[in-house]
C-alpha cells in the first residue's frame, strides 16, 4: 500500500514563508501533486513534480526528493487568503493516475 | 470555459434509501475520477473511468456503490441502501488524458445520510 504523511495543522504570519513537509512510501511512483483546498470548496491544482529538485512559480515553489521520499511546497509572502488546506497526493504508474492523498495540512495565516 | 460541475450540491437522505450523484466533466476530458472526502481528511479514490469503461474500481467500498459513464462524458455515482457512514463530500475530477496530468475537481456533492 501507500503511506503519505503530512502535518495536520500549521500556523504562520502574514508576509512570512511556510514549508509543508510531506513524506511518502509508495511503489511505482509517477509524480507528486500539491492541491490547495479552501473550506467547502474543490481542491485546486498547485504543482506537479516528477523529477528531483525545486520548481518555482511566483510565490509558490515545490520541491521533490525521490530518493528520500519527500516533498514540500514553499509559500512565500503569505497572504490571509492563503489560509487553506494543502493536500499532498501521489500518482502511481499502474493506477491510471488515480491520486492517493495525504490527510491535508490546514494552514492558518495570522496577521 | 466551464469547469467540472456536480449535482446536486447537497443531498440529505434517510438511511436505506437510494441516491444518484451526477458529474459533468470538462468537455473533451476522457479521464474521470470519483473521490470521497470526509471532514478533515484528504480525498479517497473510489473509481476511475477512461472513456466509457471503468478502468479501476478498486476504491469502491462495497457492492452498494456503482458508477456509470455510458457515453464517455457525464458520470453517475449510485449508492444503494445508504448508511450513515456514507455521509461525506463526493468529489468528481476530470483530466484531458490519463497519465500524470492535472485533475480538475468539481465542487462536490455533500451527502448526508440521517
Amino acid at each position: 500500500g501507500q503511506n503519505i504523511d503530512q502535518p495536520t495543522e500549521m500556523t504562520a504570519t502574514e508576509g512570512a514563508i511556510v514549508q509543508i513537509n510531506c513524506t511518502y512510501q509508495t511503489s511505482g511512483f509517477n509524480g507528486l501533486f500539491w492541491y490547495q483546498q479552501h473550506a467547502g470548496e474543490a481542491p485546486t491544482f498547485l504543482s506537479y513534480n516528477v523529477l528531483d529538485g525545486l520548481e518555482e512559480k511566483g510565490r509558490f515553489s515545490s520541491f521533490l526528493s525521490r530518493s528520500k521520499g519527500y516533498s514540500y511546497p514553499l509559500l512565500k509572502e503569505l497572504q490571509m487568503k492563503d489560509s487553506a488546506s494543502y493536500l499532498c497526493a501521489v500518482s502511481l504508474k499502474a493506477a491510471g493516475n488515480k491520486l492517493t492523498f495525504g490527510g491535508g495540512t490546514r494552514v492558518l495565516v495570522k496577521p | 470555459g466551464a469547469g467540472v460541475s456536480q449535482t446536486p450540491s447537497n443531498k440529505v437522505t434517510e438511511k436505506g434509501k437510494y441516491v444518484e450523484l451526477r458529474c459533468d466533466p470538462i468537455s473533451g476530458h476522457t479521464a474521470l475520477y470519483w473521490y470521497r472526502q470526509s471532514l478533515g481528511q484528504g480525498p479517497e479514490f473510489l473509481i476511475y473511468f477512461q472513456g466509457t469503461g471503468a478502468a479501476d474500481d478498486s476504491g469502491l467500498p462495497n457492492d452498494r456503490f456503482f458508477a456509470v459513464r455510458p457515453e464517455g462524458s457525464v458520470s453517475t455515482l449510485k449508492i444503494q441502501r445508504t448508511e450513515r457512514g456514507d455521509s461525506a463530500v463526493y468529489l468528481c475530477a476530470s483530466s484531458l488524458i490519463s497519465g500524470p496530468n492535472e485533475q480538475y475537481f468539481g465542487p462536490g456533492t455533500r451527502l448526508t445520510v440521517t
Side-chain angles (χ1 to χ4, degrees):
Chain A
Q2 298 84 47
N3 196 28
I4 301 172
D5 289 314
Q6 51 182 131
T8 307
E9 270 190 15
M10 299 181 72
T11 302
T13 305
E14 194 175 14
I17 299 174
V18 71
Q19 174 179 322
I20 307 168
N21 293 324
C22 171
T23 59
Y24 64 90
Q25 292 176 308
T26 65
S27 54
F29 177 84
N30 200 25
L32 189 142
F33 290 79
W34 282 96
Y35 279 81
Q36 180 191 58
Q37 187 177 29
H38 286 98
E41 298 183 11
T44 55
F45 172 82
L46 287 176
S47 67
Y48 168 66
N49 294 66
V50 67
L51 300 176
D52 285 357
L54 184 70
E55 295 206 4
E56 300 192 65
K57 197 163 62 173
R59 292 194 301 119
F60 183 85
S61 304
S62 57
F63 175 84
L64 175 68
S65 169
R66 294 178 66 144
S67 59
K68 295 182 180 177
Y70 91 98
S71 170
Y72 59 78
L74 275 175
L75 289 73
K76 306 169 196 169
E77 300 166 20
L78 280 172
Q79 302 174 9
M80 300 299 289
K81 68 178 182 180
D82 296 327
S83 293
S85 281
Y86 291 83
L87 301 165
C88 174
V90 170
S91 172
L92 303 178
K93 282 181 185 171
N97 193 37
K98 74 182 184 190
L99 297 177
T100 302
F101 284 87
T105 300
R106 192 161 61 245
V107 172
L108 177 62
V109 180
K110 293 187 172 179
Chain B
V4 178
S5 63
Q6 293 185 245
T7 54
S9 54
N10 276 284
K11 176 71 177 178
V12 180
T13 191
E14 292 180 349
K15 180 176 178 295
K17 299 287 189 184
Y18 168 82
V19 296
E20 289 190 351
L21 312 180
R22 176 189 165 108
C23 172
D24 217 322
I26 293 172
S27 178
H29 281 195
T30 60
L32 185 146
Y33 307 81
W34 283 98
Y35 295 86
R36 177 168 73 172
Q37 186 173 28
S38 299
L39 191 63
Q41 298 182 22
E44 175 190 23
F45 171 78
L46 296 176
I47 187 170
Y48 153 62
F49 287 89
Q50 179 56 42
T52 60
D56 183 350
D57 65 357
S58 61
L60 295 178
N62 51 58
D63 61 7
R64 295 186 298 106
F65 289 74
F66 189 70
V68 296
R69 195 186 184 198
E71 297 178 359
S73 177
V74 170
S75 175
T76 305
L77 178 66
K78 308 181 181 192
I79 310 174
Q80 298 178 320
R81 305 183 304 280
T82 51
E83 298 177 357
R84 291 195 181 88
D86 299 336
S87 297
V89 175
Y90 289 80
L91 294 166
C92 175
S94 69
S95 67
L96 192 56
I97 55 174
S98 65
N101 292 287
E102 176 184 349
Q103 293 182 21
Y104 295 81
F105 282 83
T109 293
R110 181 176 299 278
L111 176 66
T112 303
V113 182
T114 62

